[in-house]
Amino acid sequence: MYRSRPDGRRLRRGRGPPVAGTHPRNALIARSPPMPHTFDRIPSDEILPARADVVVIGAGIIGVTAALELARAGLSVALVEKGWVAAEQSSRNWGWVRQQGRDRREIPLIVESLAIWDRLQAESPVDLGFRRTGLVSLTRSPDELARWRRWAVRGRAGGIVVEDLSADEAEAAFPSRGAPWIGGLRTPTDGRAEPAVAVPAIAALARAAGVGLHQETAVRGIEIDAGNVTGVVTERGRIATSKVLVAGGAWSSQLLRRNGIRLPQLNLRSTVIRTTPAPELISGALMSQEFCLRRRLDGGFTLTLRGDESSDVVVDAFRFLRPFLPGLLREFRAIKLRFGTRFFVDLARWWPRPLDRVSAFEEERVSDPAPDPAVIRKALAAFKRNRPEVAGVAPAEAWAGRIDATPDGVPVISTVATVAGLTIATGFCGHGFGIGPGAGRLAADLVRGTAPIVDPTPFRLSRFDDGTPIFLDPDVI
C-alpha cells in the first residue's frame, strides 16, 4: 500500500519523511497526489479475468467489505471501480461510526458493524483510525431533546449503551459559549475512523484474501440473458459471471437503468472541512446545532454543519418525485435545491450508450463537486465563536461529496427478484461509512444465498414498488 508524492512518484512504506500526527503504523506512508481531496491509494491487478464467481461493482466501503467477505468464503471475486478505491463518498464522509440516532431499521446492522470494525482494526497492518471514543449530541431545543429521548429508549432495546445527559452534564461534556445546553445524549461505545485511510486499507486486506482489484475500469453494462446474469462489460473487456453486486453509490441507479431496473435514488451534496491541528476539545465526535466535529488522528478535526446539504435538480428528480416527496417536505428548509449545469450534463447522459462506446462512467472517473464556501465560513465561524481556544485554527482542506439517498432514508441491500444473480447495496444516505462493514457482510450473504447476518427485509428493493408506504422514522437524529 502506498501514497504518492506530490510530484507523482510513489513512495513505498519505509521510505520518505513521516506524516505528522499519524499513527506509528502509518508514519512512513507519504501523502496523496495533488487532488482536491486526498486519500490513500493502493495498486490494481493489471490482468482482467475472463471469468469470476462474483463481480463487485464499486470500491467504496460497501464494495470492498463485501468483496473481502466473499473471498474469505472461497469465491473468486473481481472488484471493479471506474475511478479509485474510496475516491468518492467513502473517503469524503465525516468518519463517524455511530449507533446513536440510527433509523430503527438499521439498529441491528450497525451493532453488527461495530463488531466487524473491531475485527478489521485488529487485522489490518495499517491503522484504520478506528476508536470507540463515543458520540455526544447536545441541544437547546426541548422538542429535539424529547425526540432524542424517544430514540434512546429504542436504542437501549437494541442493545446500545445510551446515556441521557442533563443540562449540567451537557455543559460539562462540551461547554457552551452561547445559550446553555438543555441536555443531550452520549453513546460511549460509538466509534470514529479515518475514511481516507480505512477504506483503502480494507481493500488491501481484500486483495490479500484473493480479490482481484481493477481500478480505472468502468463497467459499461451488466449482461442479462433469460433473466439471469451472464457477465459484465467493462471498458477493458468482458468478465463472464453469474453473480453481480452493484455497490456503485451515487452511480448505481444510472447503471441499473440500462437493464430496466428502477432504483429510486437521488444525490445530495455535502461539504466537509479538515482543520489544522487544534486542542483536543473532545476525543470522539460531537453533534450540535452549531456544528459537528470528529477528532482526527492528525490532531485536527473534521468539521461540518448539520443538515446543510444541497441537491442538484436532475432528470431523476422529476422521475422519482413521488416517492421522494414526503422526505423533501420534511427536510424542505434544510436542503438547498440547485438548478444548473448538472441538469444538462445528466440529460446528455440519460440514454444508455452501446457497450462498445465510452460510457458516462468513464467521462467522470471521480465525482468531485466543489465545496460550498458558505458552509465553510459558517462552520468555522461557529466553531471559533463557541470555542475561543481554537481562534488560530484554519481549514487545511475542504471538499464535497455526493450522498446517495433513498426516499425513506435507509439503504437498499437486496437481491433483484426479476434477475437471478443480481444484488444491490446502495443508497446509504450519508451514513454508509459506519454501517459499511455490516452492510458489506449482509450483501455478501445475499450474493451467496446463505443465512443473512440480520433480517434483510427492511432493505428490500421491492418496498418502493409493492405498495408499501414510505416510512420516515420520526426519531432519527
Side-chain angles (χ1 to χ4, degrees):
M1 187 172 185
Y2 62 85
R3 287 183 176 178
S4 299
R5 290 166 44 128
D7 62 9
R9 289 187 293 157
R10 295 175 182 175
L11 281 176
R12 298 181 185 278
R13 193 181 309 162
R15 298 182 184 180
V19 179
T22 57
H23 187 278
R25 282 190 291 181
N26 293 342
L28 298 176
I29 300 177
R31 298 304 297 173
S32 299
M35 298 180 66
H37 173 60
T38 56
F39 56 94
D40 277 9
R41 296 281 294 277
I42 68 171
S44 292
D45 294 288
E46 296 301 324
I47 299 176
L48 195 72
R51 176 176 294 276
D53 292 333
V54 186
V55 175
V56 178
I57 302 172
I61 182 69
I62 314 303
V64 300
T65 53
L68 174 61
E69 296 284 354
L70 291 164
R72 287 180 171 175
L75 299 176
S76 62
V77 182
L79 175 59
V80 291
E81 165 59 49
K82 67 182 178 65
W84 301 277
V85 170
E88 295 189 336
Q89 191 56 23
S90 284
S91 67
R92 297 166 184 256
N93 61 82
W94 299 2
W96 293 15
V97 183
R98 68 174 178 91
Q99 302 166 102
Q100 186 185 133
R102 288 274 177 179
D103 187 292
R104 64 191 68 182
R105 291 161 288 190
E106 291 184 348
I107 288 177
L109 195 55
I110 187 58
V111 171
E112 296 289 347
S113 288
L114 265 291
I116 299 174
W117 272 109
D118 282 328
R119 188 191 77 212
L120 291 172
Q121 173 68 18
E123 291 177 359
S124 175
V126 174
D127 184 14
L128 310 182
F130 178 69
R131 309 284 189 272
R132 286 185 179 251
T133 47
L135 167 60
V136 173
S137 294
L138 306 174
T139 185
R140 298 185 180 95
S141 165
D143 290 344
E144 186 168 63
L145 185 60
R147 177 163 56 87
W148 293 3
R149 298 275 195 256
R150 291 196 304 269
W151 181 88
V153 173
R154 192 177 303 278
R156 293 185 191 103
I160 300 170
V161 178
V162 187
E163 301 172 358
D164 293 324
L165 300 180
S166 66
D168 289 343
E169 289 168 332
E171 283 293 321
F174 198 87
S176 172
R177 296 299 189 269
W181 310 117
I182 65 168
L185 291 183
R186 179 189 286 119
T187 40
T189 60
D190 278 8
R192 59 180 172 94
E194 298 296 335
V197 175
V199 181
I202 298 170
L205 288 177
R207 288 189 78 217
V211 171
L213 173 61
H214 307 282
Q215 300 171 96
E216 297 183 88
T217 305
V219 170
R220 293 177 175 176
I222 302 167
E223 292 185 329
I224 298 171
D225 183 38
N228 297 279
V229 169
T230 59
V232 300
V233 177
T234 80
E235 63 180 294
R236 296 176 55 211
R238 180 180 184 271
I239 307 174
T241 187
S242 61
K243 297 182 184 297
V244 168
L245 170 61
V246 175
W251 301 91
S252 298
S253 185
Q254 183 176 352
L255 177 65
L256 292 165
R257 188 192 312 149
R258 167 184 289 278
N259 301 106
I261 296 166
R262 181 178 179 273
L263 172 63
Q265 179 177 294
L266 295 176
N267 299 322
L268 303 174
R269 180 171 61 174
S270 178
T271 294
V272 184
I273 304 161
R274 173 173 67 86
T275 76
T276 54
E280 187 173 351
L281 307 174
I282 192 165
S283 62
L286 169 79
M287 183 179 72
S288 73
Q289 290 154 312
E290 282 88 3
F291 51 82
C292 298
L293 290 176
R294 191 258 304 172
R295 186 65 174 173
R296 301 174 55 92
L297 290 189
D298 61 14
F301 286 97
T302 293
L303 169 68
T304 189
L305 296 178
R306 174 182 164 199
D308 206 321
E309 293 90 10
S310 63
S311 179
D312 291 307
V313 176
V314 293
V315 177
D316 276 349
F318 301 98
R319 184 182 176 214
F320 297 136
L321 178 60
R322 184 170 182 177
F324 273 97
L325 191 57
L328 289 171
L329 292 174
R330 187 172 80 169
E331 303 295 334
F332 181 75
R333 293 185 178 181
I335 298 175
K336 296 173 284 189
L337 297 178
R338 299 174 183 268
F339 183 85
T341 56
R342 190 79 202 181
F343 177 87
F344 299 100
V345 170
D346 181 69
L347 182 62
R349 295 172 175 172
W350 173 259
W351 292 272
R353 302 171 189 175
L355 296 178
D356 60 355
R357 286 186 54 195
V358 172
S359 68
F361 312 113
E362 294 150 72
E363 292 176 343
E364 191 172 356
R365 291 281 176 195
V366 174
S367 178
D368 187 35
D372 186 338
V375 171
I376 297 172
R377 289 193 300 269
K378 287 169 61 178
L380 280 170
F383 188 31
K384 294 181 178 184
R385 183 172 60 250
N386 278 268
R387 300 308 298 256
E389 61 266 50
V390 300
V393 170
E397 185 181 15
W399 64 85
R402 289 174 68 194
I403 296 171
D404 46 319
T406 62
D408 57 5
V410 296
V412 172
I413 311 171
S414 175
T415 56
V416 178
T418 56
V419 182
L422 182 58
T423 304
I424 301 171
T426 190
F428 284 83
C429 304
H431 43 81
F433 179 69
I435 210 169
R441 167 63 188 276
L442 177 58
D445 292 342
L446 296 177
V447 169
R448 296 173 58 211
T450 58
I453 189 172
V454 300
D455 180 10
T457 303
F459 311 116
R460 69 194 186 281
L461 175 64
S462 63
R463 71 186 189 267
F464 299 122
D465 296 306
D466 62 8
T468 302
I470 298 296
F471 173 71
L472 299 170
D473 192 334
D475 298 333
V476 166
I477 298 176

